[in-house]
Amino acid sequence: MIYGRDDEVRRILDASDGSVTLIVAEPGFGKSALLRTVNEVVSARSRTITVSLTPVERQLPFSGLRALIQAADAEPDPVPMLARAIGWQEPDRGPNPVAADVAYAFATWWRAAVPDRGSMVCVDDAQWLDAASETCLTVASRSGGTRWLFATRDDSSLPGLASRADRTIRLGPLDVVSAGRLAMSVSGADWSPARLGALHARSGGVPSLIRALASDDEARFSSTIAEWYADRLDRLDDAQRRVLAAAALTLDPSVEVLRACFPDVDIEGALAAAERSGLIDVGLGTIGFAHPVAREVMSAGLGGVETAAIHASLAAVVDRPDERAHHLALGTIEADDTVAAEIAAAGIDAARRGDHATACRLLVRALELVADPGSDRTRYRLQAGISAVAAGNWERGNELLDELRSGEPSRFDGIASSLLVEAASALIGVTERVRGPGESERVAGRLLSLPLEAPDRARLVRTAIRLRQVHSLSSGAALAERELPSALGSSDAAIATGARLTRQSIDYLRGEAVGLDGVVSDAAAVDPDGVPQGPLWLAAELLTWDDRADEARRACALLMSPPSGRAPTVHTMSTALGHLVRIERRAGHWERASEHLRRLDEIALATSEIAAIYDSRDAVWLHAATGTDDVAGHHARMLAIVDHVPATVAVEFRALLGFAALSHGDAATALEHLIAADSAADAADYTDVRSVGFQPDLVEAAVLVGDVGRAQAATPRLDAAATRSGSPLLAMEAARAAVLVATARRDARTSAERLRRVLVDDETARLGRPFEVGRAWFTLALADARVGARARAATAFDQAARRWDVLGARSWTSLLEAERRRVGTERAQSGELTDTERQVAQLVSLGRTNREVAAAMIVSVRTVESHLTRVYRKLGLRSRSQLVAQYRDR
């Protein structure tokens, strides 16, 4: 029975599916009792899963996740990455996952293992949740129908969950009435008002202290529950206190473990004395603690040397390797190379499981304990630095890897090449974040002198080239000219293929034609794992850039389901899905693109904010073109970080923001973004073919605001790029830009004929870019209207409208219809509906939503929206209410 918490119970039970509730209070305020009460109510009608954590679990990799999976009574074996993370399978020897990979795997598994809507997870003493598990639970809590309830002393110990929480309930002291009811229920006797008042004052209204004082008339004065348990502990002798300290310091205390630790102590007698004092409960060989605070008081009751000795004893008897390493780390005082090696091995195992924060902590401890200042010390430092970077601790990673930045290459002669290249890649990334891109480029250049084996050196060369070309294509190209020739001639197929694709990337960005036939098969043959920045990754990127839709889809499919059978990382999946969104968006398959975006949104929960925004950048484009409400959120997030990303990324973001503004008819704002994109491209020496992509939008925005001079200045770059690349798309865009400028100068006839010839060309027909072709027809319609060719203008308007209607590009359809009315070429309103359009209209008139109409007709929502747009136009209507009224009057 719980007293004085009725309002808190109601607030928790009112929580909706998929919500997160934090209960925050100091020890003794009744968090556990509140969880038990809620669990009893919910379990009567829904599934509940309850976990109580301990201090030891905060130190072990994915220990909280393991406890939750065990409590859920479900096997994670179908998800190998998850089974390896919690220690139920041996980690493999491939690239180490990061917490985000495990988090996404857990969230996916959880939705399948616990599908029940209305189910509730209760995690008590959540302040002991290890950081890796907290990341996983934060991600999992953002999807599915589970209600999550976490009781913690301090919400700052759960930064991810605290930011995700829908409500935070902070427990205060009980009032006098509730305190009296609790005291009388414990003692079984009536209390006078005066006695209750004294008890309330003495306890401060803390429920656990009220319960303790009410059951013990002889208790010494205690102002906190910790003091009350400390008083109880003081009544035991030294040997009994050491036994209890060992029980408190181990993960799963048992009589068997304590006997092994203290063979000369009467374990049963010590436990019986503690049980009589109300500190523990013993049953069937296991030991439970009366309260989490009791456990903490016991573990803190000895001095440092005595506690270290107990940890050393526990290390000799516990079974789990990660727990043994934890006790060794805390129980070893003097330098010991053997112990250091075992702790380092546990750290490497934690990294292989995906818990890099724990890995870093253990490796740093191994570094402190190593006696020989030789290669072991360097190896532990590099491994700790890699894990610090993987855990997002940039400053610590930068500090640990500094030796690699400044040391002579000969110092690393005894270090494995695979470790050196992994450390070098981590150092390049952290240097860019901590010290800036200029320093990271210099560091990358120096790292190429490390004693690396050929495959590892080739990988580092690709990383260095890519880093440079992100900031300056010419700098990346110069490094490629120096480093790639030897790799291109390598007898190692993987090295040669990677070098060739890197070379082709640079050539493509320069606007040169590249041969990509057979590139997917070649890349997959040498890169079966689809590793980041590997050949398959490069192939997918190149094919996406070059609009090779079918081959790009195949490459992305292989990245998400590698030929080797290894699970892809979250980074790889989000990159591949980002490519697929762009491929399908360009090809006019916007429903497919939206589906990929939905998957990206799920994955984005496990990634950093900047990575999530970058991978889903085409969401801004799609939402702007279709006129959906979602554009505001994506737009705001992109705008918030645009000044804090590499210059080439900023160019792309500004271009997308400019397109979004154009789609909403705001040419002035569009021009601001597009001028910023142009300036950033020039400042960063970003002269590759992608920087040409936004020039047609810049021309259009400049013409619309009357800055014809700026528009005309941009057209030569487009013409040159179209000629150099031979791209039908650039040829069409260059012709469209010329028409925009000529129309503004009232001299559109010649340029309009040029664009018309391009639009009827066979290559344009095979282009597969319906939205862009629609824009070209729209531009041509405006030019024809300006010179009085109304019939041609009407035909061109129809060509654009037909494509945009199918796509569902409502923003642009609205702009088109406004221009039709302005120039007087509106389509005739025949009022004749097709059978499908008539069915849509009838269902809408009955009050059905678009989603309900789509379900009834077994079509997509977007198809319904397209039909509805045509219904409005044919019937001369402007709103849903007008359609309903018209059908009601029939």
Side-chain angles (χ1 to χ4, degrees), residues 173-335:
L174 297 181
D175 57 33
V176 175
V177 174
S178 299
R181 293 171 61 202
L182 174 59
M184 288 187 284
S185 73
V186 171
S187 65
D190 292 334
W191 288 44
S192 68
R195 189 182 178 196
L196 287 175
L199 176 68
H200 186 264
R202 185 180 181 188
S203 67
V206 178
S208 293
L209 199 52
I210 294 169
R211 183 181 294 276
L213 294 172
S215 63
D216 184 6
D217 289 334
E218 297 180 1
R220 302 173 191 173
F221 176 77
S222 302
S223 60
T224 66
I225 190 65
E227 288 183 3
W228 191 88
Y229 282 117
D231 171 57
R232 292 295 191 165
L233 188 63
D234 286 343
R235 302 177 188 183
L236 305 180
D237 62 35
D238 289 346
Q240 291 167 341
R241 285 199 296 271
R242 282 196 297 274
V243 168
L244 291 181
L249 290 170
T250 192
L251 179 62
D252 296 311
S254 67
V255 175
E256 182 182 357
V257 166
L258 295 179
R259 282 177 182 153
C261 260
F262 304 102
D264 299 328
V265 175
D266 177 10
I267 300 298
E268 284 74 8
L271 295 178
E275 195 166 19
R276 286 193 299 272
S277 295
L279 294 168
I280 62 171
D281 295 303
V282 181
L284 298 177
T286 62
I287 300 167
F289 297 89
H291 192 280
V293 173
R295 184 172 194 160
E296 292 167 48
V297 168
M298 294 173 201
S299 64
L302 302 178
V305 175
E306 284 185 289
T307 302
I310 291 174
H311 277 297
S313 298
L314 287 170
V317 298
V318 297
D319 294 327
R320 282 179 54 174
D322 53 359
E323 187 183 359
R324 171 176 163 77
H326 162 70
H327 290 304
L328 281 175
L330 295 176
T332 307
I333 299 175
E334 301 293 334

Side-chain angles (χ1 to χ4, degrees), residues 437-486:
E439 178 64 17
S440 66
E441 287 185 33
R442 287 188 288 274
V443 167
R446 286 201 297 271
L447 292 174
L448 291 175
S449 61
L450 288 170
L452 299 172
E453 296 176 1
D456 294 320
R457 191 176 193 283
R459 173 183 162 190
L460 188 59
V461 165
R462 291 199 302 269
T463 299
I465 291 172
R466 189 172 187 85
L467 174 69
R468 290 196 179 189
Q469 77 181 41
V470 163
H471 299 285
S472 167
L473 179 61
S474 59
S475 176
L479 182 60
E481 292 292 342
R482 186 170 71 248
E483 295 290 344
L484 286 183
S486 59

Side-chain angles (χ1 to χ4, degrees), residues 616-776:
S616 62
R617 59 198 180 279
D618 278 85
V620 169
W621 196 101
L622 273 173
H623 292 317
T626 56
T628 62
D629 294 335
D630 295 337
V631 70
H634 288 282
H635 187 286
R637 288 193 293 274
M638 186 174 285
L639 195 58
I641 68 167
V642 71
D643 294 325
H644 308 287
V645 294
T648 49
V649 178
V651 171
E652 189 169 4
F653 282 8
R654 288 288 185 188
L656 285 167
L657 293 168
F659 171 80
L662 269 180
S663 299
H664 290 84
D666 187 353
T669 299
L671 186 59
E672 288 178 14
H673 285 303
L674 294 162
I675 289 173
D678 206 32
S679 299
D682 290 341
D685 184 32
Y686 186 35
T687 55
D688 66 58
V689 69
R690 289 175 299 172
S691 70
V692 179
F694 64 84
Q695 296 296 326
D697 284 347
L698 190 153
V699 170
E700 183 170 341
V703 165
L704 288 172
V705 301
D707 192 350
V708 181
R710 183 182 294 276
Q712 187 164 16
T715 56
R717 185 187 296 185
L718 271 169
D719 287 329
T723 301
R724 187 171 65 250
S725 67
S727 164
L729 175 65
L730 287 180
M732 182 183 73
E733 292 287 48
R736 183 168 79 87
V739 171
L740 286 165
V741 173
T743 302
R745 294 191 179 282
R746 301 180 183 278
D747 184 24
R749 196 176 301 276
T750 301
S751 57
E753 288 308 312
R754 170 190 169 189
L755 179 56
R756 200 183 313 276
R757 287 194 300 273
V758 169
L759 285 171
V760 299
D761 186 87
D762 288 343
E763 287 195 356
T764 305
R766 293 193 297 269
L767 190 57
R769 298 288 286 267
F771 179 79
E772 287 78 7
V773 172
R775 289 185 75 180

Side-chain angles (χ1 to χ4, degrees), residues 307 411 670 696 799:
T307 302
R411 292 178 58 182
Q799 289 280 1

Side-chain angles (χ1 to χ4, degrees), residues 4-15 20-26 29-31 34-35 38 148-155 165-172:
R5 304 297 189 198
D6 293 348
D7 183 59
E8 288 84 353
V9 170
R10 179 188 55 76
R11 290 178 62 192
I12 294 170
L13 294 177
D14 286 345
V20 172
T21 300
L22 294 188
I23 302 172
V24 182
E26 289 298 314
F29 275 75
K31 300 186 297 294
L34 181 58
L35 285 184
V38 170
W148 300 84
L149 185 57
F150 298 90
T152 179
R153 298 177 191 175
D154 181 5
D155 49 2
D166 299 281
R167 62 183 56 76
T168 299
I169 298 173
R170 301 185 185 276
L171 301 184

Side-chain angles (χ1 to χ4, degrees), residues 284-532:
L284 298 177
T286 62
I287 300 167
F289 297 89
H291 192 280
V293 173
R295 184 172 194 160
E296 292 167 48
V297 168
M298 294 173 201
S299 64
L302 302 178
V305 175
E306 284 185 289
T307 302
I310 291 174
H311 277 297
S313 298
L314 287 170
V317 298
V318 297
D319 294 327
R320 282 179 54 174
D322 53 359
E323 187 183 359
R324 171 176 163 77
H326 162 70
H327 290 304
L328 281 175
L330 295 176
T332 307
I333 299 175
E334 301 293 334
D336 187 321
D337 286 341
T338 302
V339 171
E342 186 169 350
I343 294 172
I348 293 169
D349 180 74
R352 287 179 178 149
R353 291 162 61 179
D355 185 351
H356 292 274
T358 298
C360 180
R361 176 173 53 79
L362 289 171
L363 287 161
V364 167
R365 182 59 179 149
L367 185 63
E368 294 167 348
L369 291 174
V370 71
D372 182 4
S375 60
D376 282 349
R377 183 184 295 274
T378 300
R379 189 170 66 254
Y380 298 161
R381 180 179 291 276
L382 294 180
Q383 289 166 330
I386 293 166
S387 285
V389 173
N393 191 342
W394 313 114
E395 294 292 346
R396 185 65 166 140
N398 185 56
E399 174 191 339
L400 288 165
L401 295 172
D402 188 63
E403 181 181 6
L404 193 63
R405 178 190 292 112
S406 56
E408 289 296 321
S410 58
R411 292 178 58 182
F412 305 101
D413 285 343
I415 307 299
S417 176
S418 57
L419 174 60
L420 281 177
V421 74
E422 190 175 359
S425 299
L427 178 60
I428 290 170
V430 79
T431 302
E432 177 164 6
R433 183 175 287 268
V434 174
R435 300 191 179 185
E439 178 64 17
S440 66
E441 287 185 33
R442 287 188 288 274
V443 167
R446 286 201 297 271
L447 292 174
L448 291 175
S449 61
L450 288 170
L452 299 172
E453 296 176 1
D456 294 320
R457 191 176 193 283
R459 173 183 162 190
L460 188 59
V461 165
R462 291 199 302 269
T463 299
I465 291 172
R466 189 172 187 85
L467 174 69
R468 290 196 179 189
Q469 77 181 41
V470 163
H471 299 285
S472 167
L473 179 61
S474 59
S475 176
L479 182 60
E481 292 292 342
R482 186 170 71 248
E483 295 290 344
L484 286 183
S486 59
L488 287 166
S490 173
S491 59
D492 187 317
I495 294 175
T497 302
R500 175 166 58 85
L501 287 166
T502 302
R503 173 80 269 171
Q504 287 178 309
S505 294
I506 292 173
D507 290 343
Y508 179 86
L509 295 176
R510 284 170 161 171
E512 300 173 13
V514 293
L516 298 177
D517 292 341
V519 69
V520 179
S521 298
D522 292 347
V526 299
D527 183 21
D529 286 336
V531 298

